[in-house]
Amino acid sequence: MFRKFYPDEYRESAYVLDYEKFYREGYRGIIFDIDNTLVPHGAPADEKSIALFGRLREIGFDCVLLSNNKEPRVKPFAGAVGARYIYKAGKPAAANYRRAMEMMGTDQGSTLFVGDQLFTDVWGAKNAGIHSILVKPIDPREEIQIVLKRYLERIVLYFYRKERKAEHD
């Protein structure tokens, strides 16, 4: 019932992923959410996010930021980290995930998605057929509509963890 919301991977942070391993596995493009994935909600790019994108370029990745936010939020962040972007993305609809892949010249098999929300980020990546990585939100203080979704996410993640544990037992 909840499987359509399950991420392919669930990790602590976008900053601890083994990007070199993903590159060796054939991934060439990464689509990132911004708020609570790379920085706290509404925060500007920081040294950590700027360094991450520099590292990703050195590895050989192309990256696109995919945000449901408006351009005045997304454009300065993208400029600071040196990435292209799509704003007002309409996640979880798959259209702009596909557009991001076109921008990077990648396909479903060579693209990763990294985000912090199940019902927008992960569901959209799954709709687009992309390997999805859910990361824990950076900051627990969020807008009320997101707080409400987090309660529902806990239910889905409970079943996700339970199923994963059963697979490994």
Side-chain angles (χ1 to χ4, degrees):
M1 176 168 122
F2 294 125
R3 277 202 183 104
K4 67 181 171 186
F5 302 113
Y6 288 178
D8 294 303
E9 299 183 38
Y10 185 29
R11 300 288 179 248
E12 190 67 31
S13 162
Y15 295 100
V16 301
L17 298 175
D18 188 347
Y19 293 105
E20 289 81 2
K21 176 178 169 273
F22 286 123
Y23 194 84
R24 286 191 306 271
E25 291 173 351
Y27 292 100
R28 295 297 180 263
I30 307 173
I31 303 170
F32 283 97
D33 176 52
I34 300 171
D35 287 319
N36 253 343
T37 297
L38 296 167
V39 292
H41 188 83
D46 56 13
E47 287 181 25
K48 196 173 179 181
S49 58
I50 293 166
L52 174 64
F53 280 78
R55 176 179 158 217
L56 294 171
R57 279 189 294 279
E58 285 176 16
I59 294 168
F61 280 109
D62 197 352
C63 298
V64 171
L65 300 169
L66 187 67
S67 176
N68 283 347
N69 250 308
K70 296 177 180 150
E71 192 170 27
R73 162 67 179 132
V74 181
K75 184 178 182 178
F77 190 95
V81 299
R84 289 172 289 166
Y85 65 93
I86 298 171
Y87 65 96
K88 290 176 75 175
K91 294 181 285 185
N96 280 317
Y97 289 81
R98 287 192 286 271
R99 185 170 152 222
M101 286 187 281
E102 288 172 18
M103 289 167 72
M104 296 185 292
T106 60
D107 59 24
Q108 294 168 318
S110 61
T111 306
L112 296 171
F113 178 84
V114 181
D116 71 297
Q117 291 189 53
L118 284 177
F119 301 125
T120 50
D121 298 331
V122 169
W123 192 18
K126 289 185 79 74
N127 286 338
I130 300 169
H131 186 88
S132 62
I133 302 169
L134 177 69
V135 295
K136 293 181 180 175
I138 290 174
D139 188 350
R141 292 169 296 164
E142 298 180 293
E143 297 172 343
I144 188 65
Q145 70 273 16
I146 296 172
V147 170
L148 297 173
K149 284 194 270 185
R150 295 288 186 203
Y151 286 110
L152 298 172
E153 283 184 355
R154 283 190 199 125
I155 295 166
V156 174
L157 288 171
Y158 167 80
F159 288 103
Y160 169 80
R161 288 184 188 109
K162 187 175 175 179
E163 194 172 301
R164 289 287 161 112
K165 185 178 182 321
E167 289 172 3
H168 297 292
D169 286 346

